[in-house]
Amino acid sequence: PKPNIDPTAVLIKAYACQRRTPLKHHNSFLTDALEILSQNAEYNDNEGRSVAFRRAASVLKALPYRVKNMEDLKSLPCLGDHSQRVIKEILEDGSSREVESTRQSDQFQAMKALTGIFGVGVRTADRWFREGLRSPDDLFRTGQQLNRAQQAGVQYYDDLQKPVTKAEADVISDIVEKAVRAVLPGAEIRLMGGFRRGKEVGHDVDFLITHPEEGKEEGLMPKITNWLEEQGLLLYQKTTRNSYLEKMDGPARAPNNMDRFERCFSIFKLQTGSERASVSGWRAVRVDLVVSPYSQFAFATLGWTGSKLFERELRRWAGQEKHMSLSSHALFDSKQNLYLRAKTEEEIFAYLGLEFIPPSERNA
Ligand code: GTP
Ligand code: MN
Ligand code: MN
């Protein structure tokens, strides 16, 4: 679309949180391939390798042009030897043998199918793979011991494989709003995750809930889930309590990207319109609900908007470049030995010395 861009004149910064990454870009033919290798590394428990491929892919997403030859990549950060080899092969031959053989491999396909089950992580999927299992059907057939989440995951597998549309997310937003308004008037609800970044489909729908009067949000989640359950809208839910304490979770605590908000992993029973090809009249949809105290709302908003790589890069930037520690709860400045308060995402970017990147350009 933009033929006049001189690739050598485009400056791409090294951290994803310093760049604008739109949802739609010019290099999917390369990023899809690199992301297969990233995913495969994750399946093999090689996090460093996985992140390296993901960072390389992310740089290509930020380019305002389609890569045509290796010259176009000369001044770009984060492209390791391995990524460059893969890119070169795709540019020259149209595909990469390593990527294609990975994509076809028994292990990759089985791990994808098994980790695609709600409640199943890489470790469990790997154990099942070694035992010869390949698919949700195999689990059922061999009578594997499943926990409650995994049982729901297998039961609603087909529905949960289907992408959730923005239209469906909007219907769920209305339901969640109704539920929250019924149990806590004045609460605020925000659509998070991929949909906040402008995605048209997602694997789930994420919400962040707060109340302007600090403390009012305490114990809110069980009230919401009870209301939803009474209406017959929940197929599955697991709520975890808020366990965040500034003193304990501050800089002394080992870095961990899991936050400690009151949080609910759920599966909604969503009525589907009559025009939709659905025999049952409803489908299962994964929904994540998070409750945050008002004083942490800006941090929670930033932390739950994503993308996952963008979040990871924000934390890396904070630590390595600013001697700060960022979480979905707070920002701690190690040099000044104090917590930096913020009411908006803009303030947090400013503390971090970063240009503000709007959600729609955090698709790193
Ligand atoms: P799709 O759901 O596939 O559309 O993508 P998504 O970007 O919405 O991913 P997901 O729903 O998995 O996560 C949404 C955001 O919440 C991402 O930024 C994640 O990094 C973040 N997130 C997910 N789980 C946690 C968690 O336990 N703690 C924190 N702090 N963030 C999380
Ligand atoms: Mn999501
Ligand atoms: Mn989610």
Side-chain angles (χ1 to χ4, degrees), residues 34-75:
L34 293 169
E35 282 175 348
I36 295 274
L37 298 183
S38 169
Q39 190 145 51
N40 193 241
E42 203 177 306
Y43 293 157
N44 287 294
D45 200 27
N46 192 336
E47 201 192 359
R49 195 177 156 96
S50 173
V51 174
F53 283 127
R54 207 163 286 280
R55 281 206 192 106
S58 181
V59 162
L60 303 183
K61 293 181 189 176
L63 296 179
Y65 55 87
R66 182 183 165 100
V67 175
K68 297 252 164 46
N69 52 59
M70 294 306 281
E71 284 292 290
D72 292 353
L73 305 176
K74 246 172 46 190
S75 56

Side-chain angles (χ1 to χ4, degrees), residues 164 192-197 199 201-206 256-261 263 265 286 288 290 299-312 315 327-329 363:
V164 185
M192 307 301 302
F195 288 113
R196 182 162 189 251
R197 302 197 307 277
K199 282 179 69 175
V201 295
H203 97 283
D204 68 357
V205 194
D206 308 286
N256 182 345
N257 60 4
M258 283 300 280
D259 64 50
R260 299 156 77 83
F261 289 121
R263 164 176 187 172
F265 299 96
R286 272 273 298 116
D288 281 337
V290 183
F299 297 99
T301 300
L302 181 57
W304 279 86
T305 298
S307 66
K308 287 199 183 79
L309 184 70
F310 191 90
E311 302 293 338
R312 193 187 178 104
R315 291 193 297 269
S327 73
S328 293
H329 299 278
N363 289 292

Side-chain angles (χ1 to χ4, degrees), residues 40-271:
N40 193 241
E42 203 177 306
Y43 293 157
N44 287 294
D45 200 27
N46 192 336
E47 201 192 359
R49 195 177 156 96
S50 173
V51 174
F53 283 127
R54 207 163 286 280
R55 281 206 192 106
S58 181
V59 162
L60 303 183
K61 293 181 189 176
L63 296 179
Y65 55 87
R66 182 183 165 100
V67 175
K68 297 252 164 46
N69 52 59
M70 294 306 281
E71 284 292 290
D72 292 353
L73 305 176
K74 246 172 46 190
S75 56
L76 300 181
C78 306
L79 295 179
D81 290 345
H82 198 152
S83 293
Q84 293 200 35
R85 274 204 313 279
V86 171
I87 294 168
K88 186 159 185 276
E89 204 179 335
I90 295 173
L91 289 174
E92 286 170 0
D93 307 340
S95 66
S96 144
R97 277 162 302 171
E98 183 183 3
V99 172
E100 294 319 311
S101 69
T102 300
R103 216 197 288 268
Q104 307 296 326
S105 81
D106 189 30
Q107 188 203 18
F108 183 82
Q109 292 191 359
M111 288 298 285
K112 197 174 155 88
L114 294 172
T115 57
I117 303 168
F118 171 66
V120 178
V122 166
R123 201 167 289 177
T124 304
D126 185 60
R127 178 163 50 80
W128 285 338
F129 175 72
R130 287 163 200 268
E131 289 169 13
L133 307 174
R134 298 291 177 266
S135 70
D137 279 348
D138 292 347
L139 300 181
F140 192 71
R141 219 172 21 77
T142 58
Q144 291 296 310
Q145 277 288 333
L146 303 177
N147 64 31
R148 208 168 59 85
Q150 293 162 347
Q151 283 171 28
V154 171
Q155 186 173 359
Y156 304 115
Y157 186 76
D158 291 338
D159 269 1
L160 299 185
Q161 289 298 102
K162 281 186 264 170
V164 185
T165 64
K166 180 63 167 61
E168 288 170 328
D170 288 339
V171 174
I172 299 209
S173 293
D174 289 343
I175 294 169
V176 170
E177 244 164 68
K178 209 169 156 197
V180 173
R181 232 181 295 129
V183 300
L184 182 63
E188 291 174 20
I189 301 124
R190 211 177 251 182
L191 181 61
M192 307 301 302
F195 288 113
R196 182 162 189 251
R197 302 197 307 277
K199 282 179 69 175
E200 281 144 25
V201 295
H203 97 283
D204 68 357
V205 194
D206 308 286
F207 295 96
L208 180 61
I209 303 157
T210 191
H211 192 285
E213 247 177 89
E214 188 100 354
K216 280 261 164 108
E217 81 293 343
E218 273 174 41
L220 177 56
M221 197 69 86
K223 292 182 195 152
I224 299 173
T225 53
N226 282 343
W227 190 95
L228 291 166
E229 226 141 40
E230 278 166 18
Q231 310 281 318
L233 294 167
L234 284 187
L235 297 166
Y236 168 90
Q237 69 92 5
K238 184 179 161 77
T239 298
T240 49
R241 288 181 21 231
N242 181 350
S243 57
Y244 179 78
L245 286 168
E246 203 164 81
K247 280 206 189 77
M248 288 171 60
D249 289 78
R253 201 170 147 263
N256 182 345
N257 60 4
M258 283 300 280
D259 64 50
R260 299 156 77 83
F261 289 121
E262 191 177 23
R263 164 176 187 172
C264 177
F265 299 96
S266 74
I267 302 176
F268 271 48
K269 180 174 182 175
L270 179 67
Q271 281 334 118

